Amino acid sequence: MAAAVLAAAVPVATWGLLGRHDHQGVPPSELDHAVEPLDIPAGLEAAIGVVALLLVGACTALLVRASRRGTFDRRWWQVLGPLLVAGLVIGSGWRVLTAGVVGANIGAGLVIMIGGPVVAGLLLWAAGRGLWLARRSDPSDKP
């Protein structure tokens, strides 16, 4: 459960704590968006990010503690690690995609061209490694 919450909270924390990246000095009505941002006040976005960051910290502490005690198989970090990196890319990429700019949002294109395949590769790795571990895990085979 803590691993699932951790994987879900990382992109939310990244998104919430990065804040909006709108072009400064231009009225909001003149900004172009590759993807329209969510209609959430900036203060609430930051609060959501802080709550998600607290969840990340708590879940990480629980999983590290469980790993040291042997109740969480350490090999599953090989699945969780790529999911956390993918969450960072997704959270920061969403901010770039929703940034208000004047003209073309070149960063949005880069997020799609580079971030998309990176996230897909990380998710495929995590799924493949997770399936492998699930099929091969023996409860008495914990390190």
Side-chain angles (χ1 to χ4, degrees), residues 56-76:
V56 167
C59 291
T60 301
L62 286 172
L63 290 171
V64 167
R65 188 172 167 196
S67 292
R68 288 186 177 170
R69 289 184 173 179
T71 56
F72 179 72
D73 188 349
R74 292 179 184 178
R75 295 177 297 173
W76 283 95

Side-chain angles (χ1 to χ4, degrees), residues 21-67:
H21 293 291
D22 291 343
H23 188 68
Q24 301 298 315
V26 178
S29 61
E30 295 180 19
L31 293 175
D32 297 319
H33 298 276
V35 176
E36 283 294 321
L38 301 172
D39 191 22
I40 300 174
L44 182 56
E45 287 178 352
I48 292 169
V50 168
V51 169
L53 184 62
L54 292 173
L55 282 172
V56 167
C59 291
T60 301
L62 286 172
L63 290 171
V64 167
R65 188 172 167 196
S67 292

Side-chain angles (χ1 to χ4, degrees), residues 79-140:
V79 175
L80 196 52
L83 292 176
L84 300 180
V85 174
L88 288 170
V89 174
I90 290 168
S92 58
W94 184 254
R95 281 300 188 187
V96 172
L97 286 172
T98 60
V101 297
V102 177
N105 186 346
I106 296 171
L110 291 173
V111 165
I112 292 168
M113 288 179 6
I114 298 170
V118 167
V119 167
L122 289 166
L123 294 179
L124 284 173
W125 168 265
R129 186 65 177 154
L131 288 172
W132 188 83
L133 285 173
R135 298 182 90 203
R136 303 234 188 263
S137 68
D138 178 10
S140 64

